[in-house]
Amino acid sequence: MLKHTPSTPGKFKMEKSPYILNKSRWHWHSSIMKLTFWSFIFLGLIFIFFFRSPSSNPIPQDPSRRSLRTHNWGGPAWEKRVRSSARIRSRNGISVLVTGAAGFVGTHVSTALKRRGDGVLGLDNFNDYYDPSLKRARQALLDRTGVFVVEGDINDSTLLRKLFEVVPFTHVMHLAAQAGVRYAMENPSSYVHSNIAGLVSLLEACKSANPQPAIVWASSSSVYGLNSKVPFSEKDRTDQPASLYAATKKAGEEIAHTYNHIYGLSLTALRFFTVYGPWGRPDMAYFFFTRDILKGKTISIFEAANHGTVARDFTYIDDIVKGCLAALDTAEKSTGSGGKKKGPAQFRVYNLGNTSPVPVSDLVSILERLLKVDAKRNVMKLPQNGDVRFTHANISLAQRELGYKPSTDLQTGMKKFVRWYLSYYSGGNKAAG
């Protein structure tokens, strides 16, 4: 056959000109150069956006992320403090990482653990949801008892990994969270950031740790939401949350179950019922009622439809602490290792309440007697902002399995709170509001 005969009869095969080939190559090289150039520009913008220093950023940061990468940690001296604080000093003690350690419940739990000889390391981001000076005062209290509080965020995975590298914690008491029902209407993202993303971040660190710690964490009575059956039992439905806060806590329980099932993490959720007492939270009614009564301000007391009573199962902090320690002491070991499950792990949910709901109007009457001041009352309808009409805990399961027995009535507990409040705010500390 001839060399230049077409491969198909009736068609002519035209060879490409060197000019056309060179032109194609030129366009190809040009495209690659443009792509490379814009790739570098794009990467540069990402670098500037994510890694520029906070001081050079004129745009206000999202409050829910304000604590990330803002605190210094690490180094030999820091690690020495971490190890010292977490060192077990009793024969059968445990080593516990307490998140939210500078919070109300966290401070009391950390102190109780340290006093009985357990190793305790605190972690807190000291955000400004309420007066940070109160958190700093709690931190000073913990420091005097030998508890070091690392300043950092539970969403900082690098920090969490480092803590687990330095200390082989046997337990985690997870109390860090964005609290408050009404604040969710102002800053909803902070609840997702702390209560969902923060929980996942912590569980990720725990499932990868070797050994895996047993985890006890704070859920909430808010998960019962619009449930009308009383008292609230752990077996009752929790699929009708009345607030975003409640929804994030319910989501937390489901997430915890997932990590228990997949990774063998031992997990215990504690549903707290209206905790009160010394060193409490200023956003709680008993706290700001006390402040406003002393200042002569009018306080708003909510009532349900048709003049119905609004009541809470007020639970004194010492009783809550006993429940937390009992949960830690009865927690079984996690069954995973290096992120892999090796067998079924313990999963528990308990109510921690007082079982004696008290009308909010009665709380105000108790405060009037203790403060010796008449309150200026403004009775108004319960707003549709996430608050529920009543809470009432069935604690039979916690009694049976944890030996939980609350022993402080509201009159006794409020007397202790008022004594602390007057002492703390007469010592140069200024009550907010």
Side-chain angles (χ1 to χ4, degrees):
M1 294 181 67
L2 297 174
K3 187 175 181 182
H4 297 291
T5 303
S7 58
T8 305
K11 292 185 179 180
F12 181 74
K13 186 176 181 182
M14 180 178 178
E15 292 202 359
K16 291 184 179 179
S17 155
Y19 170 77
I20 295 174
L21 289 173
N22 289 336
K23 187 176 181 181
S24 298
R25 290 192 188 99
W26 184 85
H27 281 299
W28 184 78
H29 285 300
S30 177
S31 299
I32 291 296
M33 290 174 66
K34 288 180 180 179
L35 180 62
T36 303
F37 173 76
W38 287 112
S39 295
F40 277 114
I41 294 294
F42 181 66
L43 290 172
L45 289 172
I46 291 177
F47 180 84
I48 293 171
F49 181 78
F50 284 103
F51 297 103
R52 63 185 169 182
S53 63
S55 60
S56 66
N57 184 5
I59 302 173
Q61 293 183 347
D62 178 354
S64 68
R65 300 185 60 82
R66 58 181 166 255
S67 60
L68 287 178
R69 298 191 297 274
T70 58
H71 309 296
N72 295 322
W73 53 266
W78 179 85
E79 290 188 18
K80 184 177 180 181
R81 289 195 70 185
V82 167
R83 289 193 181 95
S84 176
S85 184
R87 185 175 298 122
I88 299 170
R89 303 180 189 279
S90 62
R91 188 170 184 178
N92 298 313
I94 57 178
S95 180
V96 189
L97 172 64
V98 180
T99 69
F104 172 33
V105 179
T107 297
H108 284 273
V109 170
S110 297
T111 301
L113 288 168
K114 196 68 176 179
R115 283 176 177 169
R116 71 178 198 176
D118 295 319
V120 184
L121 180 71
L123 176 63
D124 204 291
N125 67 5
F126 294 90
N127 68 30
D128 58 2
Y129 166 61
Y130 60 80
D131 184 10
S133 68
L134 179 57
K135 299 179 183 181
R136 294 298 181 183
R138 297 190 192 122
Q139 181 187 25
L141 178 67
L142 289 173
D143 192 56
R144 291 193 293 272
T145 63
V147 176
F148 175 43
V149 180
V150 174
E151 188 163 353
D153 195 286
I154 55 174
N155 282 286
D156 189 340
S157 57
T158 304
L159 171 58
L160 290 178
R161 280 197 303 271
K162 183 63 176 179
L163 292 177
F164 279 99
E165 286 174 8
V166 176
V167 179
F169 296 105
T170 61
H171 294 71
V172 170
M173 185 77 223
H174 178 47
L175 298 168
Q178 176 59 63
V181 169
R182 301 171 197 169
Y183 182 62
M185 299 180 73
E186 298 177 34
N187 189 5
S189 63
S190 67
Y191 289 79
V192 177
H193 174 76
S194 296
N195 302 355
I196 296 179
L199 176 62
V200 171
S201 175
L202 180 71
L203 293 177
E204 279 291 307
C206 290
K207 63 105 170 172
S208 301
N210 196 5
Q212 289 180 340
I215 305 159
V216 177
W217 69 285
S219 182
S220 170
S221 62
S222 295
V223 299
Y224 292 109
L226 302 178
N227 185 18
S228 58
K229 174 183 169 295
V230 290
F232 299 152
S233 167
E234 292 88 347
K235 295 180 180 180
D236 292 342
R237 65 184 299 181
T238 53
D239 59 352
Q240 296 177 300
S243 67
L244 179 60
Y245 170 70
T248 60
K249 285 298 186 178
K250 172 59 178 175
E253 292 188 358
E254 302 302 324
I255 290 168
H257 184 274
T258 302
Y259 275 78
N260 166 267
H261 174 69
I262 297 176
Y263 301 110
L265 285 175
S266 171
L267 279 147
T268 302
L270 303 177
R271 294 173 177 171
F272 296 157
F273 281 72
T274 317
V275 189
Y276 73 99
W279 295 99
R281 283 184 10 225
D283 64 317
M284 298 290 285
Y286 72 92
F287 200 113
F288 62 74
F289 279 175
T290 300
R291 178 196 66 207
D292 291 346
I293 289 172
L294 288 172
K295 289 185 175 182
K297 293 184 177 181
T298 300
I299 61 173
S300 298
I301 302 173
F302 298 136
E303 66 176 14
N306 300 317
H307 304 289
T309 299
V310 173
R312 293 289 179 268
D313 197 346
F314 294 101
T315 313
Y316 189 61
I317 183 61
D318 288 359
D319 292 325
I320 289 291
V321 169
K322 291 175 184 176
C324 290
L325 268 58
L328 287 167
D329 291 341
T330 56
E332 297 175 2
K333 291 183 179 179
S334 293
T335 62
S337 177
K340 295 182 179 180
K341 179 180 178 180
K342 295 184 177 179
Q346 185 183 53
F347 184 82
R348 305 179 296 173
V349 178
Y350 296 110
N351 287 337
L352 293 187
N354 192 55
T355 75
S356 300
V358 176
V360 174
S361 57
D362 289 2
L363 165 67
V364 175
S365 297
I366 291 173
L367 284 172
E368 287 177 319
R369 290 193 295 271
L370 292 171
L371 297 171
K372 297 180 174 58
V373 178
D374 290 334
K376 297 178 181 178
R377 305 185 185 210
N378 175 35
V379 179
M380 56 190 299
K381 291 183 180 180
L382 185 68
Q384 299 297 313
N385 59 4
D387 279 318
V388 294
R389 179 179 171 183
F390 51 81
T391 59
H392 184 185
N394 177 338
I395 60 170
S396 58
L397 184 62
Q399 286 178 323
R400 184 167 63 252
E401 297 187 4
L402 301 180
Y404 174 70
K405 295 180 181 179
S407 59
T408 310
D409 61 67
L410 187 59
Q411 174 75 33
T412 303
M414 286 307 303
K415 183 176 182 180
K416 293 179 180 180
F417 166 73
V418 167
R419 186 185 304 128
W420 168 83
Y421 184 96
L422 295 175
S423 173
Y424 181 78
Y425 287 108
S426 66
N429 298 297
K430 186 178 180 181

